[in-house]
Amino acid sequence: MTDRKPSVFERHAATTPKDFRNSVALGWTLIAWALASAGSLTLLNRFESLIPDGPISWAVAALPAVLGIVLLFVFTRYLRETDELQRTLQLQAVSIAFGGTYFGFAAYGSFEPLGAPPATFDQYFVVVCGVYTLVSFLNWRRYR
Amino acid sequence: MKNRIKVLRAEQDWTQAKLAQELGVSRQTVNAIETGKYDPSLPLAFKIARLFGQRIEEIFVDG
């Protein structure tokens, strides 16, 4: 049994160092994916003339999808290697965020024929992020 | 499910962080188990039992 003094991180941030490394990797991948998505859409919609037709424009369009696949792998690794409580809480937050928002938007769709403005995928994504953040915050408060 | 982890930890004079380090989990997990907010998986329960040199049913009590 080791008698190593817990690091400042272990004492205060309440996750293992491996969790921390995976969380950091997940965070950076998420940022890269978000920037690539926003950048790709902006380039293709607003600066179309700057991008030559052909392979380059296809590469710009495909970049978010490629990073999205990388993000899935990084998130899966994070879930596999994190401790069991964190895994449960993350899965709960993700399922409530995607599932809850989907049902919310499906319910909202019933009001669109009555004149409500149509919901877009961008709005769905923003709400998913908001719900995920809210559930994560509530879980953090409950289990800190 | 109730458990005696807090008492066993105190007998060893360990902090939650120290116990978490020994078990390879986060301090949040140890805290959640001690306060009864979370029931550990069977592998983690065995790990806890081995660490304290007791049987699972001596540490975890149903109810």
Side-chain angles (χ1 to χ4, degrees), chain A residues 69-135:
Chain A
I69 292 168
V70 173
L71 181 61
L72 279 178
F73 276 106
V74 173
F75 186 62
T76 306
R77 185 185 65 183
Y78 167 77
L79 281 182
R80 194 174 55 240
E81 294 183 2
T82 193
D83 80 30
E84 56 187 60
L85 176 62
Q86 293 301 324
R87 186 182 307 123
T88 303
L89 298 182
Q90 284 295 328
L91 286 174
Q92 185 190 56
V94 168
S95 23
I96 291 174
F98 280 95
T101 307
Y102 174 80
F103 285 119
F105 269 64
Y108 179 82
S110 305
F111 293 93
E112 288 182 4
L114 302 176
T120 65
F121 180 74
D122 293 345
Q123 290 164 341
Y124 173 79
F125 183 70
V126 169
V127 176
V128 165
C129 292
V131 174
Y132 174 81
T133 305
L134 177 67
V135 175

Side-chain angles (χ1 to χ4, degrees), chain A residues 84, chain B residues 1 5 19 22-23 33 39-60:
Chain A
E84 56 187 60
Chain B
M1 186 180 286
I5 293 176
L19 177 57
E22 296 295 337
L23 295 170
I33 294 169
D39 291 331
S41 67
L42 201 51
L44 181 55
F46 270 112
K47 213 169 177 180
I48 292 167
R50 270 199 300 270
L51 185 65
F52 290 117
Q54 302 203 11
R55 294 188 309 198
I56 286 182
E57 59 267 35
E58 291 174 319
I59 298 176
F60 294 95

